[in-house]
Amino acid sequence: MNDMTHKGLGLATQTAKISASGVQVHYGTNHALKDVDVTILDRTVTAFIGPSGCGKSTFLRCLNRMNDTVASCRVSGQILLEGEDIYDRRVDPVQLRAKVGMVFQKPNPFPKSIYDNVAYGPKIHGMTRNKAELDAIVEASLRKAALWGEVKDRLDATGTGLSGGQQQRLCIARAIATSPEVLLMDEPCSALDPIATAQVEELIDELRHQFSVVIVTHSMQQAARVSQKTAFFHLGNLVEFGETGDIFTNPKDPRTEAYITGRIG
Amino acid sequence: MSDSESHIVSSFDRDLEALQAHLLRMGGLVEAALVNAAKALEAQDLPAADSVIIGDKAVDALEEFIQTEAASLIARRAPTASDLRLVLAVMRAAHSLERVGDYAKNVAKRTRVIGRSAPVDGHAGTIRRMSVMVAKMLEDAQLALVRKDASLAAAVRARDVEIDQMYNTLFRSLFTYMMESAGSIGPSMHLHFIAKNIERAGDHATTIAEQAIYLATGSRPSEERVKGDSTSATA
Ligand SMILES: Nc1ncnc2c1ncn2[C@@H]1O[C@H](COP(=O)(O)OP(=O)(O)OP(=O)(O)O)[C@@H](O)[C@H]1O
Ligand SMILES: [Mg+2]
């Protein structure tokens, strides 16, 4: 459950996982993010909301350097993961992405077996010494992703043969198999039915006992249900950031109010 | 403010406007019931008291209707921010108005049994004036709510002190009557409950004003309202 009713409970003891300050992003001449400061707390679900094109995905991709792969993209400012600058030259982006995992809008399992989809990350990061350890990680990840019961008898079947909701949970299992510290989710439920959506939301609530979760969503109700903190982006600016309960009952900025009540397109 | 702008989905605006219109309609019925009950007492007009009693059914039905509409709006529209606060404020205000309707009905019921007597002649005028003041407070509180006018709401809250003072004065006067003549105890007790009912109605006007402040500002008024009712210390 979210903390809308007892907001702030225990938050004082939560430490910053990611601290971003003065983050600017340009795609060529397009100034996509303007001077964003935000703190992502440990063991907290943070929702990013805002109109299409406001820069939510751009900011999310900054947090695990997925923007590195976009040639026209320039990122400046500072992003610290537990005090370490993730844009430091010594940081290996592949290692970083094991710590800061990502789940995308469209489920994108590899065209491989269910088992291999989940085992892929732990294998390339050399996290296990033998098959038994790898089996254990695969099972634990699938259990956490609430998929184990449905696939345990067909781990060799191909991942792309699952239903959309199952594929998305498989992608979540893949993302958490490397024991990330932060899980980034970009509209993870947009292709899912209400049941699968509820399962993913339940999972997010579970995951926040171990990870920080950052979720981009276009569903106000989903943001209100799953997150404890909400950030509202508008035209590349972080307009408002605060307790989810406050943002949805009493936003401070008129742009936030207009957006969440359905008054601007 | 952005919340005075229209929703992209215009039927959402129509739903919210309809909800407020029903509330104002209910408020009109309740204000009239309160004043009519006090006037019936003063004039000893029993048919008028009867119509207040019968009229309360319409008030109850409207309350039920508003609560159902509000619940349906929450389910269908999932309102947030000032929209959510508006729906919550209307629900609470409708509940307050329903209570005031019951108080008016109780005044009318007592009017039917009290009969003409010296304490009635001595107090019914003050009770009527008090009911008119409370009715005006109720009206202004609802206006403050639909206009999201925090300063009008604050003014309504402030006026409740006068009602409390009127009630205190009535209480002391009735107390004296009862001490002086045992024969006046029956009507004086009725008059006291009538005055108390109207004083409570004033508290509900204050509650609605507080909802208006919550709606307009997003937070509830902080400082404790000055309580003018000192009879609990007297009694
Ligand atoms: N790979 C890219 N190359 C060039 N411009 C991009 C790229 N990705 C995003 N942009 C631009 O950056 C701005 C922000 O886009 P972004 O995808 O971050 O928005 P968003 O808030 O995630 O929107 P949506 O809700 O539609 O997903 C937009 O103007 C977009 O055109
Ligand atoms: Mg996006």
Side-chain angles (χ1 to χ4, degrees):
Chain A
M1 282 287 98
N2 66 42
D3 291 340
M4 277 181 71
T5 44
H6 24 257
K7 64 178 184 216
L9 202 70
L11 281 186
T13 57
Q14 273 158 319
T15 50
K17 193 75 191 175
I18 295 179
S19 305
S21 49
V23 174
Q24 311 259 1
V25 177
H26 289 83
Y27 293 102
T29 56
N30 179 5
H31 197 177
L33 270 187
K34 298 159 190 164
D35 206 16
V36 172
D37 294 333
V38 77
T39 300
I40 306 294
L41 294 179
D42 198 9
R43 293 161 208 266
T44 299
V45 180
T46 304
F48 289 176
I49 61 170
S52 194
C54 66
K56 305 175 297 291
S57 299
T58 295
F59 188 61
L60 203 66
R61 289 195 302 262
C62 288
L63 300 180
N64 71 347
R65 291 183 56 174
M66 290 290 275
N67 286 328
D68 289 14
T69 58
V70 180
S72 67
C73 184
R74 278 182 296 119
V75 179
S76 65
Q78 195 180 48
I79 299 177
L80 306 178
L81 174 65
E82 300 212 299
E84 306 273 346
D85 183 353
I86 66 167
Y87 281 88
D88 189 288
R89 223 174 307 134
R90 285 161 302 187
V91 171
D92 172 5
V94 176
Q95 291 295 332
L96 174 70
R97 285 170 208 148
K99 281 201 234 172
V100 183
M102 188 145 181
V103 175
F104 299 87
Q105 173 173 2
K106 267 183 65 190
N108 57 346
F110 306 135
K112 291 173 170 226
S113 72
I114 293 169
Y115 184 97
D116 287 339
N117 263 280
V118 183
Y120 177 80
K123 264 191 207 157
I124 64 163
H125 291 106
M127 290 169 60
T128 54
R129 282 163 301 178
N130 53 48
K131 176 82 167 70
E133 281 183 15
L134 192 58
D135 287 353
I137 288 184
V138 169
E139 178 174 341
S141 305
L142 285 168
R143 278 187 190 280
K144 275 187 208 154
L147 189 59
W148 176 251
E150 287 156 69
V151 300
K152 64 177 191 292
D153 299 323
R154 46 170 171 154
L155 292 174
D156 294 330
T158 154
T160 47
L162 295 170
S163 77
Q166 289 172 328
Q167 286 187 26
Q168 191 63 306
R169 280 177 284 148
L170 177 62
C171 293
I172 293 170
R174 185 177 68 191
I176 62 184
T178 55
S179 300
E181 297 168 28
V182 180
L183 190 60
L184 309 176
M185 304 176 110
D186 198 346
E187 299 180 49
C189 301
S190 60
L192 305 187
D193 75 11
I195 302 288
T197 298
Q199 283 167 334
V200 170
E201 289 181 5
E202 170 66 12
L203 171 63
I204 290 171
D205 203 52
E206 285 285 309
L207 294 178
R208 82 167 159 107
H209 298 293
Q210 297 154 54
F211 316 129
S212 290
V213 179
V214 184
I215 177 171
V216 171
T217 175
H218 279 128
S219 159
M220 298 301 103
Q221 265 38 59
Q222 180 167 63
R225 285 192 299 263
V226 302
S227 72
Q228 291 79 51
K229 294 275 185 181
T230 296
F232 171 65
F233 289 84
H234 186 240
L235 300 173
N237 297 298
L238 176 68
V239 169
E240 190 163 350
F241 178 58
E243 296 287 336
T244 297
D246 291 343
I247 299 269
F248 284 97
T249 56
N250 189 19
K252 298 284 168 284
D253 194 287
R255 288 168 290 180
T256 318
E257 168 96 24
Y259 180 70
I260 65 172
T261 59
R263 285 177 169 90
I264 48 173
Chain B
M1 264 302 286
S2 58
D3 58 38
S4 57
E5 286 164 18
S6 301
H7 285 93
I8 299 162
V9 179
S10 58
S11 56
F12 191 173
D13 287 326
R14 290 198 293 276
D15 283 358
L16 289 173
E17 277 156 23
L19 201 61
Q20 294 174 84
H22 293 312
L23 184 78
L24 293 181
R25 196 149 60 85
M26 184 184 177
L29 292 181
V30 167
E31 291 152 28
L34 197 67
V35 174
N36 289 342
K39 279 186 178 162
L41 171 72
E42 191 179 28
Q44 285 297 299
D45 182 346
L46 299 192
D50 282 340
S51 43
V52 170
I53 294 168
I54 294 165
D56 193 47
K57 288 207 176 64
V59 171
D60 288 350
L62 247 181
E63 203 244 327
E64 177 119 14
F65 177 75
I66 289 171
Q67 303 296 2
T68 309
E69 287 296 294
S72 147
L73 195 149
I74 290 173
R76 286 181 296 114
R77 310 275 185 199
T80 54
S82 63
D83 295 335
L84 175 63
R85 300 203 302 273
L86 175 61
V87 177
L88 293 176
V90 167
M91 290 177 95
R92 290 178 180 142
H95 179 69
S96 279
L97 289 175
E98 188 274 332
R99 302 300 309 139
V100 175
D102 283 351
Y103 292 138
K105 179 169 147 188
N106 189 272
V107 170
K109 279 186 171 171
R110 290 179 190 278
T111 295
R112 285 171 50 104
V113 297
I114 195 168
R116 200 174 275 289
S117 65
V120 172
D121 289 340
H123 295 96
T126 311
I127 287 174
R128 180 191 28 85
R129 280 194 297 281
M130 194 171 158
S131 76
V132 170
M133 284 172 69
V134 169
K136 183 75 180 125
M137 282 170 66
L138 285 164
E139 185 189 353
D140 286 350
Q142 294 160 60
L143 276 185
L145 198 152
V146 298
R147 290 183 192 156
K148 300 186 171 71
D149 183 342
S151 58
L152 177 58
V156 171
R157 285 182 91 217
R159 268 145 64 190
D160 194 42
V161 179
E162 292 170 45
I163 303 301
D164 288 347
Q165 279 164 358
M166 285 178 99
Y167 166 72
N168 289 344
T169 308
L170 280 164
F171 179 84
R172 288 204 198 87
S173 171
L174 289 165
F175 202 67
T176 313
Y177 254 99
M178 288 190 272
M179 302 239 285
E180 284 172 359
S181 107
S184 76
I185 289 181
S188 295
M189 287 294 280
H190 277 305
L191 287 168
H192 168 253
F193 281 119
I194 286 171
K196 188 73 197 164
N197 279 331
I198 297 172
E199 185 271 330
R200 288 250 172 82
D203 290 343
H204 281 288
T206 304
T207 302
I208 297 171
E210 282 162 5
Q211 291 304 319
I213 292 171
Y214 167 65
L215 172 58
T217 66
S219 51
R220 283 163 215 290
S222 51
E223 97 275 25
E224 243 324 286
R225 193 164 55 89
V226 194
K227 288 297 281 184
D229 178 355
S230 57
T231 54
S232 42
T234 318

